[in-house]
PDB file of all heavy atoms in Angstrom:
ATOM      1  N   GLY O  20      51.264  69.347 303.010  1.00  0.00           N
ATOM      2  CA  GLY O  20      50.819  68.056 302.513  1.00  0.00           C
ATOM      3  C   GLY O  20      51.776  66.907 302.750  1.00  0.00           C
ATOM      4  O   GLY O  20      51.455  65.751 302.437  1.00  0.00           O
ATOM      5  N   GLY O  21      52.948  67.210 303.275  1.00  0.00           N
ATOM      6  CA  GLY O  21      53.881  66.127 303.565  1.00  0.00           C
ATOM      7  C   GLY O  21      53.403  65.278 304.731  1.00  0.00           C
ATOM      8  O   GLY O  21      52.421  65.604 305.391  1.00  0.00           O
ATOM      9  N   GLY O  22      54.098  64.168 304.949  1.00  0.00           N
ATOM     10  CA  GLY O  22      53.717  63.300 306.052  1.00  0.00           C
ATOM     11  C   GLY O  22      54.358  61.948 305.939  1.00  0.00           C
ATOM     12  O   GLY O  22      55.310  61.754 305.177  1.00  0.00           O
ATOM     13  N   LEU O  23      53.823  61.028 306.730  1.00  0.00           N
ATOM     14  CA  LEU O  23      54.315  59.660 306.783  1.00  0.00           C
ATOM     15  C   LEU O  23      53.354  58.761 306.022  1.00  0.00           C
ATOM     16  O   LEU O  23      52.139  58.804 306.254  1.00  0.00           O
ATOM     17  CB  LEU O  23      54.404  59.226 308.247  1.00  0.00           C
ATOM     18  CG  LEU O  23      54.952  57.835 308.553  1.00  0.00           C
ATOM     19  CD1 LEU O  23      56.426  57.776 308.198  1.00  0.00           C
ATOM     20  CD2 LEU O  23      54.748  57.519 310.039  1.00  0.00           C
ATOM     21  N   VAL O  24      53.893  57.946 305.122  1.00  0.00           N
ATOM     22  CA  VAL O  24      53.056  57.078 304.319  1.00  0.00           C
ATOM     23  C   VAL O  24      53.793  55.761 304.074  1.00  0.00           C
ATOM     24  O   VAL O  24      55.030  55.740 304.029  1.00  0.00           O
ATOM     25  CB  VAL O  24      52.690  57.768 302.981  1.00  0.00           C
ATOM     26  CG1 VAL O  24      53.912  58.025 302.134  1.00  0.00           C
ATOM     27  CG2 VAL O  24      51.640  56.990 302.214  1.00  0.00           C
ATOM     28  N   GLN O  25      53.049  54.694 303.919  1.00  0.00           N
ATOM     29  CA  GLN O  25      53.661  53.407 303.614  1.00  0.00           C
ATOM     30  C   GLN O  25      54.013  53.315 302.132  1.00  0.00           C
ATOM     31  O   GLN O  25      53.390  53.991 301.286  1.00  0.00           O
ATOM     32  CB  GLN O  25      52.706  52.275 303.984  1.00  0.00           C
ATOM     33  CG  GLN O  25      52.547  52.067 305.472  1.00  0.00           C
ATOM     34  CD  GLN O  25      51.766  50.811 305.800  1.00  0.00           C
ATOM     35  OE1 GLN O  25      50.894  50.400 305.032  1.00  0.00           O
ATOM     36  NE2 GLN O  25      52.054  50.192 306.940  1.00  0.00           N
ATOM     37  N   ALA O  26      54.978  52.487 301.839  1.00  0.00           N
ATOM     38  CA  ALA O  26      55.352  52.254 300.442  1.00  0.00           C
ATOM     39  C   ALA O  26      54.129  51.828 299.639  1.00  0.00           C
ATOM     40  O   ALA O  26      53.305  51.035 300.112  1.00  0.00           O
ATOM     41  CB  ALA O  26      56.438  51.189 300.363  1.00  0.00           C
ATOM     42  N   GLY O  27      54.007  52.385 298.435  1.00  0.00           N
ATOM     43  CA  GLY O  27      52.852  52.126 297.595  1.00  0.00           C
ATOM     44  C   GLY O  27      51.734  53.135 297.766  1.00  0.00           C
ATOM     45  O   GLY O  27      50.787  53.145 296.966  1.00  0.00           O
ATOM     46  N   GLY O  28      51.832  53.950 298.794  1.00  0.00           N
ATOM     47  CA  GLY O  28      50.804  54.938 299.069  1.00  0.00           C
ATOM     48  C   GLY O  28      50.970  56.202 298.245  1.00  0.00           C
ATOM     49  O   GLY O  28      51.849  56.301 297.380  1.00  0.00           O
ATOM     50  N   SER O  29      50.121  57.173 298.548  1.00  0.00           N
ATOM     51  CA  SER O  29      50.093  58.428 297.805  1.00  0.00           C
ATOM     52  C   SER O  29      50.050  59.618 298.746  1.00  0.00           C
ATOM     53  O   SER O  29      49.562  59.516 299.879  1.00  0.00           O
ATOM     54  CB  SER O  29      48.854  58.482 296.904  1.00  0.00           C
ATOM     55  OG  SER O  29      48.860  57.442 295.947  1.00  0.00           O
ATOM     56  N   LEU O  30      50.553  60.713 298.258  1.00  0.00           N
ATOM     57  CA  LEU O  30      50.450  62.009 298.938  1.00  0.00           C
ATOM     58  C   LEU O  30      50.290  63.086 297.879  1.00  0.00           C
ATOM     59  O   LEU O  30      50.777  62.927 296.747  1.00  0.00           O
ATOM     60  CB  LEU O  30      51.701  62.312 299.758  1.00  0.00           C
ATOM     61  CG  LEU O  30      51.905  61.626 301.107  1.00  0.00           C
ATOM     62  CD1 LEU O  30      53.282  61.984 301.665  1.00  0.00           C
ATOM     63  CD2 LEU O  30      50.815  62.014 302.093  1.00  0.00           C
ATOM     64  N   ARG O  31      49.629  64.168 298.249  1.00  0.00           N
ATOM     65  CA  ARG O  31      49.576  65.333 297.375  1.00  0.00           C
ATOM     66  C   ARG O  31      50.150  66.522 298.123  1.00  0.00           C
ATOM     67  O   ARG O  31      49.622  66.926 299.169  1.00  0.00           O
ATOM     68  CB  ARG O  31      48.155  65.644 296.914  1.00  0.00           C
ATOM     69  CG  ARG O  31      48.134  66.731 295.849  1.00  0.00           C
ATOM     70  CD  ARG O  31      46.783  66.994 295.246  1.00  0.00           C
ATOM     71  NE  ARG O  31      45.998  67.893 296.047  1.00  0.00           N
ATOM     72  CZ  ARG O  31      45.042  68.693 295.548  1.00  0.00           C
ATOM     73  NH1 ARG O  31      44.793  68.677 294.255  1.00  0.00           N
ATOM     74  NH2 ARG O  31      44.335  69.460 296.347  1.00  0.00           N
ATOM     75  N   LEU O  32      51.202  67.060 297.568  1.00  0.00           N
ATOM     76  CA  LEU O  32      51.813  68.253 298.121  1.00  0.00           C
ATOM     77  C   LEU O  32      51.204  69.479 297.465  1.00  0.00           C
ATOM     78  O   LEU O  32      50.866  69.468 296.287  1.00  0.00           O
ATOM     79  CB  LEU O  32      53.317  68.249 297.901  1.00  0.00           C
ATOM     80  CG  LEU O  32      54.084  67.016 298.394  1.00  0.00           C
ATOM     81  CD1 LEU O  32      55.583  67.224 298.166  1.00  0.00           C
ATOM     82  CD2 LEU O  32      53.793  66.736 299.842  1.00  0.00           C
ATOM     83  N   SER O  33      51.095  70.532 298.255  1.00  0.00           N
ATOM     84  CA  SER O  33      50.626  71.812 297.748  1.00  0.00           C
ATOM     85  C   SER O  33      51.666  72.877 298.055  1.00  0.00           C
ATOM     86  O   SER O  33      52.382  72.785 299.058  1.00  0.00           O
ATOM     87  CB  SER O  33      49.300  72.208 298.402  1.00  0.00           C
ATOM     88  OG  SER O  33      48.288  71.271 298.117  1.00  0.00           O
ATOM     89  N   CYS O  34      51.719  73.875 297.208  1.00  0.00           N
ATOM     90  CA  CYS O  34      52.605  75.017 297.428  1.00  0.00           C
ATOM     91  C   CYS O  34      51.800  76.274 297.123  1.00  0.00           C
ATOM     92  O   CYS O  34      51.436  76.512 295.968  1.00  0.00           O
ATOM     93  CB  CYS O  34      53.826  74.919 296.539  1.00  0.00           C
ATOM     94  SG  CYS O  34      54.897  76.369 296.580  1.00  0.00           S
ATOM     95  N   ALA O  35      51.516  77.017 298.164  1.00  0.00           N
ATOM     96  CA  ALA O  35      50.743  78.242 298.020  1.00  0.00           C
ATOM     97  C   ALA O  35      51.674  79.428 297.897  1.00  0.00           C
ATOM     98  O   ALA O  35      52.618  79.578 298.685  1.00  0.00           O
ATOM     99  CB  ALA O  35      49.822  78.419 299.222  1.00  0.00           C
ATOM    100  N   ALA O  36      51.400  80.278 296.926  1.00  0.00           N
ATOM    101  CA  ALA O  36      52.243  81.443 296.673  1.00  0.00           C
ATOM    102  C   ALA O  36      51.507  82.719 297.029  1.00  0.00           C
ATOM    103  O   ALA O  36      50.296  82.845 296.809  1.00  0.00           O
ATOM    104  CB  ALA O  36      52.651  81.469 295.210  1.00  0.00           C
ATOM    105  N   SER O  37      52.250  83.663 297.561  1.00  0.00           N
ATOM    106  CA  SER O  37      51.675  84.974 297.860  1.00  0.00           C
ATOM    107  C   SER O  37      51.712  85.829 296.604  1.00  0.00           C
ATOM    108  O   SER O  37      52.394  85.511 295.633  1.00  0.00           O
ATOM    109  CB  SER O  37      52.472  85.653 298.969  1.00  0.00           C
ATOM    110  OG  SER O  37      53.785  85.922 298.521  1.00  0.00           O
ATOM    111  N   GLY O  38      50.995  86.940 296.633  1.00  0.00           N
ATOM    112  CA  GLY O  38      51.067  87.877 295.530  1.00  0.00           C
ATOM    113  C   GLY O  38      50.059  87.600 294.433  1.00  0.00           C
ATOM    114  O   GLY O  38      49.425  86.551 294.391  1.00  0.00           O
ATOM    115  N   ARG O  39      49.939  88.586 293.536  1.00  0.00           N
ATOM    116  CA  ARG O  39      48.932  88.503 292.488  1.00  0.00           C
ATOM    117  C   ARG O  39      49.524  88.180 291.129  1.00  0.00           C
ATOM    118  O   ARG O  39      48.831  88.229 290.131  1.00  0.00           O
ATOM    119  CB  ARG O  39      48.171  89.824 292.412  1.00  0.00           C
ATOM    120  CG  ARG O  39      47.334  90.094 293.656  1.00  0.00           C
ATOM    121  CD  ARG O  39      46.633  91.441 293.554  1.00  0.00           C
ATOM    122  NE  ARG O  39      47.588  92.533 293.635  1.00  0.00           N
ATOM    123  CZ  ARG O  39      47.227  93.814 293.564  1.00  0.00           C
ATOM    124  NH1 ARG O  39      45.983  94.150 293.365  1.00  0.00           N
ATOM    125  NH2 ARG O  39      48.154  94.746 293.664  1.00  0.00           N
ATOM    126  N   THR O  40      50.842  87.868 291.091  1.00  0.00           N
ATOM    127  CA  THR O  40      51.483  87.623 289.802  1.00  0.00           C
ATOM    128  C   THR O  40      51.967  86.197 289.685  1.00  0.00           C
ATOM    129  O   THR O  40      52.933  85.924 288.998  1.00  0.00           O
ATOM    130  CB  THR O  40      52.662  88.591 289.625  1.00  0.00           C
ATOM    131  OG1 THR O  40      53.569  88.423 290.728  1.00  0.00           O
ATOM    132  CG2 THR O  40      52.175  90.017 289.548  1.00  0.00           C
ATOM    133  N   PHE O  41      51.306  85.280 290.351  1.00  0.00           N
ATOM    134  CA  PHE O  41      51.731  83.889 290.362  1.00  0.00           C
ATOM    135  C   PHE O  41      51.872  83.331 288.952  1.00  0.00           C
ATOM    136  O   PHE O  41      52.782  82.557 288.679  1.00  0.00           O
ATOM    137  CB  PHE O  41      50.721  83.062 291.160  1.00  0.00           C
ATOM    138  CG  PHE O  41      51.009  81.592 291.191  1.00  0.00           C
ATOM    139  CD1 PHE O  41      52.096  81.097 291.892  1.00  0.00           C
ATOM    140  CD2 PHE O  41      50.184  80.683 290.535  1.00  0.00           C
ATOM    141  CE1 PHE O  41      52.369  79.734 291.935  1.00  0.00           C
ATOM    142  CE2 PHE O  41      50.437  79.324 290.576  1.00  0.00           C
ATOM    143  CZ  PHE O  41      51.530  78.844 291.279  1.00  0.00           C
ATOM    144  N   SER O  42      51.019  83.743 288.052  1.00  0.00           N
ATOM    145  CA  SER O  42      50.997  83.156 286.716  1.00  0.00           C
ATOM    146  C   SER O  42      52.210  83.499 285.877  1.00  0.00           C
ATOM    147  O   SER O  42      52.409  82.921 284.810  1.00  0.00           O
ATOM    148  CB  SER O  42      49.732  83.592 285.979  1.00  0.00           C
ATOM    149  OG  SER O  42      49.714  85.003 285.834  1.00  0.00           O
ATOM    150  N   ILE O  43      53.064  84.413 286.335  1.00  0.00           N
ATOM    151  CA  ILE O  43      54.252  84.742 285.548  1.00  0.00           C
ATOM    152  C   ILE O  43      55.430  83.845 285.902  1.00  0.00           C
ATOM    153  O   ILE O  43      56.458  83.887 285.236  1.00  0.00           O
ATOM    154  CB  ILE O  43      54.674  86.211 285.737  1.00  0.00           C
ATOM    155  CG1 ILE O  43      55.270  86.453 287.132  1.00  0.00           C
ATOM    156  CG2 ILE O  43      53.523  87.145 285.440  1.00  0.00           C
ATOM    157  CD1 ILE O  43      55.889  87.837 287.276  1.00  0.00           C
ATOM    158  N   TYR O  44      55.275  83.044 286.958  1.00  0.00           N
ATOM    159  CA  TYR O  44      56.385  82.216 287.406  1.00  0.00           C
ATOM    160  C   TYR O  44      56.267  80.794 286.886  1.00  0.00           C
ATOM    161  O   TYR O  44      55.212  80.166 286.989  1.00  0.00           O
ATOM    162  CB  TYR O  44      56.415  82.151 288.937  1.00  0.00           C
ATOM    163  CG  TYR O  44      56.662  83.467 289.618  1.00  0.00           C
ATOM    164  CD1 TYR O  44      55.612  84.205 290.152  1.00  0.00           C
ATOM    165  CD2 TYR O  44      57.952  83.974 289.729  1.00  0.00           C
ATOM    166  CE1 TYR O  44      55.843  85.421 290.779  1.00  0.00           C
ATOM    167  CE2 TYR O  44      58.186  85.189 290.363  1.00  0.00           C
ATOM    168  CZ  TYR O  44      57.123  85.905 290.876  1.00  0.00           C
ATOM    169  OH  TYR O  44      57.361  87.107 291.498  1.00  0.00           O
ATOM    170  N   GLY O  45      57.378  80.312 286.338  1.00  0.00           N
ATOM    171  CA  GLY O  45      57.485  78.872 286.174  1.00  0.00           C
ATOM    172  C   GLY O  45      57.697  78.270 287.556  1.00  0.00           C
ATOM    173  O   GLY O  45      58.327  78.889 288.409  1.00  0.00           O
ATOM    174  N   MET O  46      57.173  77.089 287.783  1.00  0.00           N
ATOM    175  CA  MET O  46      57.242  76.493 289.118  1.00  0.00           C
ATOM    176  C   MET O  46      57.896  75.129 289.049  1.00  0.00           C
ATOM    177  O   MET O  46      57.742  74.389 288.063  1.00  0.00           O
ATOM    178  CB  MET O  46      55.846  76.357 289.722  1.00  0.00           C
ATOM    179  CG  MET O  46      55.105  77.674 289.918  1.00  0.00           C
ATOM    180  SD  MET O  46      55.938  78.785 291.076  1.00  0.00           S
ATOM    181  CE  MET O  46      55.837  77.831 292.594  1.00  0.00           C
ATOM    182  N   GLY O  47      58.592  74.801 290.118  1.00  0.00           N
ATOM    183  CA  GLY O  47      59.252  73.499 290.166  1.00  0.00           C
ATOM    184  C   GLY O  47      59.175  72.892 291.551  1.00  0.00           C
ATOM    185  O   GLY O  47      58.937  73.594 292.534  1.00  0.00           O
ATOM    186  N   TRP O  48      59.364  71.596 291.597  1.00  0.00           N
ATOM    187  CA  TRP O  48      59.508  70.865 292.843  1.00  0.00           C
ATOM    188  C   TRP O  48      60.891  70.199 292.842  1.00  0.00           C
ATOM    189  O   TRP O  48      61.310  69.608 291.836  1.00  0.00           O
ATOM    190  CB  TRP O  48      58.445  69.778 292.989  1.00  0.00           C
ATOM    191  CG  TRP O  48      57.084  70.277 293.329  1.00  0.00           C
ATOM    192  CD1 TRP O  48      56.053  70.549 292.463  1.00  0.00           C
ATOM    193  CD2 TRP O  48      56.581  70.578 294.640  1.00  0.00           C
ATOM    194  NE1 TRP O  48      54.947  70.985 293.151  1.00  0.00           N
ATOM    195  CE2 TRP O  48      55.245  71.010 294.492  1.00  0.00           C
ATOM    196  CE3 TRP O  48      57.119  70.507 295.930  1.00  0.00           C
ATOM    197  CZ2 TRP O  48      54.437  71.387 295.576  1.00  0.00           C
ATOM    198  CZ3 TRP O  48      56.320  70.872 296.993  1.00  0.00           C
ATOM    199  CH2 TRP O  48      55.009  71.306 296.815  1.00  0.00           C
ATOM    200  N   PHE O  49      61.544  70.304 293.973  1.00  0.00           N
ATOM    201  CA  PHE O  49      62.828  69.648 294.192  1.00  0.00           C
ATOM    202  C   PHE O  49      62.736  68.891 295.511  1.00  0.00           C
ATOM    203  O   PHE O  49      61.809  69.111 296.305  1.00  0.00           O
ATOM    204  CB  PHE O  49      63.952  70.688 294.283  1.00  0.00           C
ATOM    205  CG  PHE O  49      64.264  71.353 292.970  1.00  0.00           C
ATOM    206  CD1 PHE O  49      63.422  72.347 292.472  1.00  0.00           C
ATOM    207  CD2 PHE O  49      65.376  71.002 292.234  1.00  0.00           C
ATOM    208  CE1 PHE O  49      63.686  72.962 291.257  1.00  0.00           C
ATOM    209  CE2 PHE O  49      65.659  71.611 291.024  1.00  0.00           C
ATOM    210  CZ  PHE O  49      64.806  72.591 290.538  1.00  0.00           C
ATOM    211  N   ARG O  50      63.696  68.020 295.743  1.00  0.00           N
ATOM    212  CA  ARG O  50      63.717  67.313 297.026  1.00  0.00           C
ATOM    213  C   ARG O  50      65.154  67.110 297.467  1.00  0.00           C
ATOM    214  O   ARG O  50      66.081  67.120 296.652  1.00  0.00           O
ATOM    215  CB  ARG O  50      62.994  65.975 296.918  1.00  0.00           C
ATOM    216  CG  ARG O  50      63.713  64.919 296.073  1.00  0.00           C
ATOM    217  CD  ARG O  50      62.853  63.670 295.945  1.00  0.00           C
ATOM    218  NE  ARG O  50      63.554  62.593 295.262  1.00  0.00           N
ATOM    219  CZ  ARG O  50      62.996  61.443 294.934  1.00  0.00           C
ATOM    220  NH1 ARG O  50      61.712  61.200 295.230  1.00  0.00           N
ATOM    221  NH2 ARG O  50      63.700  60.519 294.318  1.00  0.00           N
ATOM    222  N   GLN O  51      65.317  66.934 298.765  1.00  0.00           N
ATOM    223  CA  GLN O  51      66.646  66.702 299.325  1.00  0.00           C
ATOM    224  C   GLN O  51      66.540  65.677 300.436  1.00  0.00           C
ATOM    225  O   GLN O  51      65.828  65.904 301.427  1.00  0.00           O
ATOM    226  CB  GLN O  51      67.267  67.998 299.844  1.00  0.00           C
ATOM    227  CG  GLN O  51      68.714  67.849 300.261  1.00  0.00           C
ATOM    228  CD  GLN O  51      69.402  69.185 300.428  1.00  0.00           C
ATOM    229  OE1 GLN O  51      68.767  70.226 300.577  1.00  0.00           O
ATOM    230  NE2 GLN O  51      70.726  69.182 300.406  1.00  0.00           N
ATOM    231  N   ALA O  52      67.233  64.583 300.261  1.00  0.00           N
ATOM    232  CA  ALA O  52      67.295  63.542 301.267  1.00  0.00           C
ATOM    233  C   ALA O  52      68.518  63.776 302.151  1.00  0.00           C
ATOM    234  O   ALA O  52      69.473  64.432 301.734  1.00  0.00           O
ATOM    235  CB  ALA O  52      67.368  62.170 300.601  1.00  0.00           C
ATOM    236  N   PRO O  53      68.514  63.248 303.369  1.00  0.00           N
ATOM    237  CA  PRO O  53      69.663  63.436 304.265  1.00  0.00           C
ATOM    238  C   PRO O  53      70.959  62.984 303.618  1.00  0.00           C
ATOM    239  O   PRO O  53      71.048  61.888 303.066  1.00  0.00           O
ATOM    240  CB  PRO O  53      69.305  62.570 305.473  1.00  0.00           C
ATOM    241  CG  PRO O  53      67.827  62.505 305.464  1.00  0.00           C
ATOM    242  CD  PRO O  53      67.435  62.486 304.015  1.00  0.00           C
ATOM    243  N   GLY O  54      71.963  63.847 303.664  1.00  0.00           N
ATOM    244  CA  GLY O  54      73.267  63.502 303.137  1.00  0.00           C
ATOM    245  C   GLY O  54      73.371  63.555 301.630  1.00  0.00           C
ATOM    246  O   GLY O  54      74.406  63.182 301.075  1.00  0.00           O
ATOM    247  N   LYS O  55      72.317  63.996 300.971  1.00  0.00           N
ATOM    248  CA  LYS O  55      72.334  64.050 299.498  1.00  0.00           C
ATOM    249  C   LYS O  55      72.091  65.469 299.016  1.00  0.00           C
ATOM    250  O   LYS O  55      71.586  66.319 299.750  1.00  0.00           O
ATOM    251  CB  LYS O  55      71.273  63.118 298.925  1.00  0.00           C
ATOM    252  CG  LYS O  55      71.526  61.649 299.211  1.00  0.00           C
ATOM    253  CD  LYS O  55      70.526  60.775 298.473  1.00  0.00           C
ATOM    254  CE  LYS O  55      70.824  59.296 298.696  1.00  0.00           C
ATOM    255  NZ  LYS O  55      69.864  58.441 297.944  1.00  0.00           N
ATOM    256  N   GLU O  56      72.444  65.703 297.772  1.00  0.00           N
ATOM    257  CA  GLU O  56      72.218  67.016 297.179  1.00  0.00           C
ATOM    258  C   GLU O  56      70.744  67.179 296.799  1.00  0.00           C
ATOM    259  O   GLU O  56      70.031  66.195 296.589  1.00  0.00           O
ATOM    260  CB  GLU O  56      73.100  67.184 295.939  1.00  0.00           C
ATOM    261  CG  GLU O  56      74.574  67.235 296.249  1.00  0.00           C
ATOM    262  CD  GLU O  56      75.414  67.548 295.020  1.00  0.00           C
ATOM    263  OE1 GLU O  56      74.845  67.607 293.919  1.00  0.00           O
ATOM    264  OE2 GLU O  56      76.628  67.748 295.180  1.00  0.00           O
ATOM    265  N   ARG O  57      70.343  68.426 296.694  1.00  0.00           N
ATOM    266  CA  ARG O  57      68.978  68.700 296.253  1.00  0.00           C
ATOM    267  C   ARG O  57      68.837  68.249 294.808  1.00  0.00           C
ATOM    268  O   ARG O  57      69.701  68.506 293.976  1.00  0.00           O
ATOM    269  CB  ARG O  57      68.693  70.193 296.384  1.00  0.00           C
ATOM    270  CG  ARG O  57      67.249  70.566 296.186  1.00  0.00           C
ATOM    271  CD  ARG O  57      66.996  72.003 296.607  1.00  0.00           C
ATOM    272  NE  ARG O  57      67.258  72.207 298.042  1.00  0.00           N
ATOM    273  CZ  ARG O  57      66.917  73.303 298.696  1.00  0.00           C
ATOM    274  NH1 ARG O  57      66.297  74.294 298.067  1.00  0.00           N
ATOM    275  NH2 ARG O  57      67.210  73.429 299.971  1.00  0.00           N
ATOM    276  N   GLU O  58      67.718  67.577 294.509  1.00  0.00           N
ATOM    277  CA  GLU O  58      67.526  67.070 293.159  1.00  0.00           C
ATOM    278  C   GLU O  58      66.184  67.513 292.594  1.00  0.00           C
ATOM    279  O   GLU O  58      65.211  67.714 293.322  1.00  0.00           O
ATOM    280  CB  GLU O  58      67.622  65.537 293.128  1.00  0.00           C
ATOM    281  CG  GLU O  58      66.527  64.801 293.851  1.00  0.00           C
ATOM    282  CD  GLU O  58      66.560  63.303 293.595  1.00  0.00           C
ATOM    283  OE1 GLU O  58      67.138  62.861 292.574  1.00  0.00           O
ATOM    284  OE2 GLU O  58      65.969  62.572 294.407  1.00  0.00           O
ATOM    285  N   PHE O  59      66.169  67.632 291.301  1.00  0.00           N
ATOM    286  CA  PHE O  59      64.970  68.028 290.573  1.00  0.00           C
ATOM    287  C   PHE O  59      63.932  66.921 290.612  1.00  0.00           C
ATOM    288  O   PHE O  59      64.254  65.742 290.478  1.00  0.00           O
ATOM    289  CB  PHE O  59      65.355  68.330 289.127  1.00  0.00           C
ATOM    290  CG  PHE O  59      64.193  68.547 288.210  1.00  0.00           C
ATOM    291  CD1 PHE O  59      63.424  69.695 288.300  1.00  0.00           C
ATOM    292  CD2 PHE O  59      63.876  67.608 287.239  1.00  0.00           C
ATOM    293  CE1 PHE O  59      62.355  69.896 287.450  1.00  0.00           C
ATOM    294  CE2 PHE O  59      62.822  67.797 286.385  1.00  0.00           C
ATOM    295  CZ  PHE O  59      62.045  68.943 286.486  1.00  0.00           C
ATOM    296  N   VAL O  60      62.670  67.331 290.770  1.00  0.00           N
ATOM    297  CA  VAL O  60      61.560  66.383 290.755  1.00  0.00           C
ATOM    298  C   VAL O  60      60.664  66.630 289.545  1.00  0.00           C
ATOM    299  O   VAL O  60      60.447  65.748 288.719  1.00  0.00           O
ATOM    300  CB  VAL O  60      60.730  66.479 292.050  1.00  0.00           C
ATOM    301  CG1 VAL O  60      59.493  65.595 291.970  1.00  0.00           C
ATOM    302  CG2 VAL O  60      61.581  66.118 293.262  1.00  0.00           C
ATOM    303  N   ALA O  61      60.137  67.845 289.441  1.00  0.00           N
ATOM    304  CA  ALA O  61      59.199  68.156 288.361  1.00  0.00           C
ATOM    305  C   ALA O  61      59.105  69.665 288.212  1.00  0.00           C
ATOM    306  O   ALA O  61      59.397  70.413 289.143  1.00  0.00           O
ATOM    307  CB  ALA O  61      57.820  67.570 288.658  1.00  0.00           C
ATOM    308  N   ALA O  62      58.667  70.097 287.028  1.00  0.00           N
ATOM    309  CA  ALA O  62      58.474  71.520 286.778  1.00  0.00           C
ATOM    310  C   ALA O  62      57.291  71.716 285.852  1.00  0.00           C
ATOM    311  O   ALA O  62      56.922  70.820 285.087  1.00  0.00           O
ATOM    312  CB  ALA O  62      59.733  72.127 286.168  1.00  0.00           C
ATOM    313  N   ILE O  63      56.726  72.913 285.933  1.00  0.00           N
ATOM    314  CA  ILE O  63      55.566  73.231 285.104  1.00  0.00           C
ATOM    315  C   ILE O  63      55.701  74.661 284.621  1.00  0.00           C
ATOM    316  O   ILE O  63      56.158  75.543 285.354  1.00  0.00           O
ATOM    317  CB  ILE O  63      54.255  73.001 285.900  1.00  0.00           C
ATOM    318  CG1 ILE O  63      53.031  73.116 285.005  1.00  0.00           C
ATOM    319  CG2 ILE O  63      54.161  73.937 287.113  1.00  0.00           C
ATOM    320  CD1 ILE O  63      51.766  72.567 285.655  1.00  0.00           C
ATOM    321  N   SER O  64      55.311  74.904 283.382  1.00  0.00           N
ATOM    322  CA  SER O  64      55.425  76.227 282.797  1.00  0.00           C
ATOM    323  C   SER O  64      54.371  77.177 283.371  1.00  0.00           C
ATOM    324  O   SER O  64      53.448  76.759 284.081  1.00  0.00           O
ATOM    325  CB  SER O  64      55.291  76.143 281.276  1.00  0.00           C
ATOM    326  OG  SER O  64      54.031  75.584 280.921  1.00  0.00           O
ATOM    327  N   ARG O  65      54.491  78.422 283.001  1.00  0.00           N
ATOM    328  CA  ARG O  65      53.643  79.463 283.594  1.00  0.00           C
ATOM    329  C   ARG O  65      52.149  79.179 283.458  1.00  0.00           C
ATOM    330  O   ARG O  65      51.367  79.406 284.375  1.00  0.00           O
ATOM    331  CB  ARG O  65      53.954  80.813 282.957  1.00  0.00           C
ATOM    332  CG  ARG O  65      55.369  81.274 283.181  1.00  0.00           C
ATOM    333  CD  ARG O  65      55.544  82.718 282.825  1.00  0.00           C
ATOM    334  NE  ARG O  65      55.159  83.022 281.454  1.00  0.00           N
ATOM    335  CZ  ARG O  65      55.154  84.252 280.958  1.00  0.00           C
ATOM    336  NH1 ARG O  65      55.518  85.275 281.723  1.00  0.00           N
ATOM    337  NH2 ARG O  65      54.813  84.471 279.718  1.00  0.00           N
ATOM    338  N   ASN O  66      51.760  78.712 282.277  1.00  0.00           N
ATOM    339  CA  ASN O  66      50.322  78.488 282.054  1.00  0.00           C
ATOM    340  C   ASN O  66      49.938  77.018 282.214  1.00  0.00           C
ATOM    341  O   ASN O  66      48.808  76.638 281.912  1.00  0.00           O
ATOM    342  CB  ASN O  66      49.917  78.975 280.663  1.00  0.00           C
ATOM    343  CG  ASN O  66      50.574  78.172 279.560  1.00  0.00           C
ATOM    344  OD1 ASN O  66      51.380  77.274 279.811  1.00  0.00           O
ATOM    345  ND2 ASN O  66      50.234  78.482 278.319  1.00  0.00           N
TER     346      ASN O  66
END
């Protein structure tokens, strides 16, 4: 779902997981810009 977008625009990222136990994992999104450390974006609990 990543790509090129103008400022003010929108994107929806998706993350598909393998396996049948996806619901037991807490999930998070992080990001890393060039020359910077990886940073937290958002997280969601198992349910």
Side-chain angles (χ1 to χ4, degrees):
L23 182 68
V24 64
Q25 288 189 329
S29 298
L30 283 175
R31 188 174 84 153
L32 306 183
S33 298
C34 173
S37 65
R39 293 178 291 180
T40 57
F41 177 70
S42 61
I43 71 171
Y44 296 100
M46 299 297 296
W48 285 95
F49 290 77
R50 70 184 186 185
Q51 188 165 19
K55 295 187 177 181
E56 293 186 354
R57 190 168 297 191
E58 67 171 338
F59 171 71
V60 174
I63 189 166
S64 60
R65 298 193 303 176
N66 65 357

